[in-house]
């Protein structure tokens, strides 16, 4: 890929991985599964300092949004399922003494493409985000 393409994807390791994933899918050589690991979200301290969550959120947004845009414009998004998720969430409310957030059992997953009906949220939390008010699935419990 070119430097210009890398820049459009956020010019980061994650962005370049998303760009590579798009290129592999566009090559149509039978790829069935691609996993991209982001790493580095474990902010128990200084979560809102510029080099932590704000910087990493930019990397995630740049790479993921460019990949989804390219998949959609090429027609590949209709046959490609994209899932973004983590293994745990982050506590809500006040920050810890180290100005961070601890692990939280509730989590988030995003699905796009492959016929997924977009523009919906499944489940709900209270106004603080700390308690599930509606699980959004038949087992009526948090997904952990």
């Amino acid at each position: 890929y070119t430097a210009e393409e890398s820049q459009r994807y956020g010019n980061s390791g994650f962005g370049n991985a998303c760009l590579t994933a798009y290129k592999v899918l566009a090559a149509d050589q039978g790829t069935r599964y691609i996993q991209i690991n982001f790493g580095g979200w474990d902010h128990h301290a200084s979560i809102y300092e510029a080099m932590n969550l704000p910087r990493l959120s930019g990397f995630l947004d740049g790479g993921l949004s460019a990949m989804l845009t390219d998949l959609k414009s090429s027609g590949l998004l209709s046959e490609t399922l994209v899932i973004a998720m983590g293994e745990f969430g982050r506590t809500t409310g006040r920050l810890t003494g180290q100005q961070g957030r601890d692990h939280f059992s509730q989590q988030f997953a995003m699905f796009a493409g492959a016929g997924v009906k977009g523009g919906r949220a499944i489940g709900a939390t209270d106004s603080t985000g700390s308690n599930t008010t509606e699980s959004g699935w038949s087992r009526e419990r948090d997904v952990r």
Side-chain angles (χ1 to χ4, degrees), residues 92-142:
T92 62
R94 294 182 184 187
L95 296 176
T96 66
Q98 296 81 30
Q99 298 303 298
R101 297 200 179 277
D102 289 327
H103 296 204
F104 200 46
S105 59
Q106 293 168 319
Q107 58 189 24
F108 163 87
M110 179 220 66
F111 297 86
V116 170
K117 187 185 277 186
R120 298 184 305 158
I122 300 171
T125 63
D126 62 14
S127 62
T128 67
S130 61
N131 296 297
T132 301
T133 58
E134 184 181 325
S135 69
W137 70 306
S138 62
R139 295 206 179 184
E140 292 297 326
R141 64 176 176 82
D142 292 343

Side-chain angles (χ1 to χ4, degrees), residues 26-77:
D28 195 21
Q29 297 296 304
T31 300
R32 307 287 296 164
Y33 180 84
I34 298 172
Q35 177 176 332
I36 302 171
N37 293 325
F38 191 91
W41 288 99
D42 209 7
H43 298 297
H44 291 279
S46 307
I47 191 170
Y48 296 115
E49 286 187 10
M51 294 304 288
N52 290 328
L53 188 62
R55 178 174 152 261
L56 295 177
S57 297
F59 290 161
L60 178 68
D61 183 52
L64 186 58
S65 64
M67 184 179 70
L68 289 170
T69 297
D70 284 353
L71 287 169
K72 185 173 183 179
S73 67
S74 69
L76 289 169
L77 188 59

